[in-house]
Amino acid sequence: MKTLSLIIDCDPGVDDAVALMLAFGSSELELLAVTTVGGNVPLAKTTRNARMLRQIAGREDVPVHAGADRPLRRKPAGAGEFHGEEGLGFMTPFTPAKGVADGHGVDALINAVMAREPETVALAVLGPMTNLALALRREPTLARRLGPVAIMGGARSEGGNITASAEFNVWADPEAADEVMRSGCRITMFGLDATHQVRATEERIAAVAGIGTPKGDTAAAMMRFSQKVEREIVGWDAPPVHDVCPVAWLLKPELFELKPCRIAVEFQSELTRGHTAVEFRVDPAEAPHRWAVSADADGVFALITEAVR
Ligand code: RIB
Ligand code: CA
C-alpha cells in the first residue's frame, strides 16, 4: 500500500479534532508533523489540544510544533462559540505527557518538505493559512517543492459562516489566504460548498461512537458538541464537519468532485473581508486551483468510522 507523507496544519477546534482522529487512524498516511496556529482558540490552547488528541489516539510518534499565534496583519479572532472555551467542546483539558517539539511550526514545515524529494510531502491546512504564508515567504521554492495542498476554507454558493461574505479560516487571515492563493502551490480547496454536504447526523455520530475506542469516543464527543451548538446557534441538528474534507480527499480523492478554477481573496474591504471569488471560467489547462463542488458524505464517514476502529 502506497503511503502518503503528510503534514497537518490546524487550530483544534472540534472539527479539526475529528480530522486528526481520521488521520491518526489511517495507516496510509505517514504523518510527518502536526503544526498548530491560533484560530478557533488561541495558539496555546490549539497546541495543547493537538497534544491531547495525539495522546488519546496513541500517536506520540507524531511531533506537534507550535506555529503562528496571530494573523499576518490582523488581530487574532477566535470562534470559541463553536468550539467551547478550551477548544474541544465539553472535553476537560489535561496536561499531555509529551511536550511540544522544538522548532517553530513554520520551520518544521519548511524543513520537512525541503528534506524530501520534490512534491512528495502533502499539506492539509485546517485553520487560518498564516503558517503556510509565512513558510512561503521564508522559503521561495516551497510552492514548487510541496505536493498537494488541501485547504479547508472559503465559500462560493454557500455564502459565509463568520460573516455574510466569508468563511472563518479565510476571514481570520485574509492576507495569508491571498498570498497562498497567489503562491503557485498545487491547491485544492474545500469550501463551505463541499463541507456543508458532510454533516454529522445522529446516525453517523452513533456509528462512530459505537466503535468503542478512545479515538471513536473522542470523535463522537466532538461531533455531539457541534450538534448542540448547531441546534442553538444555527437551528440545524446536523453540523458540518468541515476539516475532515481535506484529509478524506487525500485518502480517497474519488469522494469529491472538483472543478478547475482561479480563487482570489478579498482583503481590502471590511464588509467583504475574506470573501473567496471562485472563478470557474478559466482554461482547465491553465487553472491554478481546484474547488470542491460536491462530497460523498457517506463515503467520508465510512473512512472516519474505519479510522477510529
Ligand atoms: O469555517 C470552518 C473552519 O473554521 C474550520 O476549520 C473550523 O475548525 C474553523 O476553524
Ligand atoms: Ca479548523
Side-chain angles (χ1 to χ4, degrees):
M1 162 180 43
K2 185 166 169 12
T3 58
L4 173 72
S5 300
L6 174 64
I7 295 171
I8 297 180
D9 187 59
C10 55
D11 62 335
V14 292
D15 58 327
D16 305 70
V18 182
L20 286 173
M21 289 305 153
L22 170 58
F24 285 142
S26 298
S27 54
E28 307 92 312
L29 298 176
E30 180 197 23
L31 285 175
L32 301 178
V34 169
T35 55
T36 55
V37 65
N40 290 318
V41 290
L43 179 69
K45 290 186 177 179
T46 59
T47 307
R48 177 207 61 201
N49 293 345
R51 291 166 50 215
M52 285 167 58
L53 295 162
R54 169 180 67 175
Q55 180 167 314
I56 290 167
R59 290 303 308 270
E60 289 167 305
D61 57 301
V62 181
V64 172
H65 291 266
D69 65 353
R70 73 199 63 198
L72 294 184
R73 270 193 43 215
R74 314 266 175 169
K75 286 197 309 297
E81 64 278 22
F82 286 95
H83 300 273
E85 179 73 24
E86 296 301 328
L88 291 180
F90 301 118
M91 186 179 286
T92 306
F94 59 85
T95 303
K98 186 164 182 184
V100 190
D102 291 340
H104 192 282
V106 170
D107 295 322
L109 170 56
I110 292 169
N111 296 341
V113 173
M114 302 309 281
R116 290 168 175 80
E117 285 302 304
E119 301 182 38
T120 59
V121 177
L123 173 65
V125 183
L126 310 181
M129 295 175 227
T130 317
N131 286 335
L132 178 51
L134 289 170
L136 290 161
R137 286 180 178 184
R138 203 168 296 175
E139 177 46 70
T141 69
L142 188 68
R144 282 197 310 279
R145 293 289 297 256
L146 263 169
V149 176
I151 300 173
M152 191 280 133
R156 186 175 193 272
S157 55
E158 280 294 293
N161 62 359
I162 189 75
T163 69
S165 313
E167 176 280 326
F168 175 77
N169 288 341
V170 178
W171 175 86
D173 195 344
E175 287 77 12
D178 169 59
E179 291 186 18
V180 167
M181 290 306 126
R182 290 187 291 106
S183 67
C185 285
R186 269 169 286 280
I187 291 168
T188 299
M189 203 153 183
F190 298 81
L192 302 182
D193 301 12
T195 67
H196 278 181
Q197 298 176 35
V198 182
R199 290 183 177 275
T201 60
E202 184 50 46
E203 184 189 1
R204 288 168 177 161
I205 298 174
V208 171
I211 299 298
T213 60
K215 287 201 291 284
D217 296 347
T218 301
M222 298 296 122
M223 292 188 283
R224 287 241 182 271
F225 180 85
S226 292
Q227 198 178 40
K228 171 181 175 296
V229 165
E230 197 76 7
R231 282 188 183 125
E232 287 166 1
I233 297 184
V234 185
W236 289 335
D237 66 358
V241 193
H242 307 281
D243 287 342
V244 301
C245 291
V247 178
W249 175 72
L250 288 165
L251 286 165
K252 205 169 180 184
E254 60 269 31
L255 292 177
F256 296 86
E257 184 193 351
L258 307 179
K259 281 182 82 168
C261 63
R262 176 182 306 284
I263 303 168
V265 175
E266 169 60 68
F267 55 90
Q268 308 285 351
S269 151
E270 270 317 301
L271 173 65
T272 55
R273 157 192 170 177
H275 176 72
T276 42
V278 183
E279 177 59 79
F280 292 137
R281 293 166 298 188
V282 294
D283 175 355
E286 310 276 311
H289 308 126
R290 299 284 176 274
W291 179 259
V293 292
S294 74
D296 170 356
D298 285 333
V300 171
F301 275 88
L303 278 185
I304 295 169
T305 307
E306 271 320 296
V308 301
R309 189 177 297 281

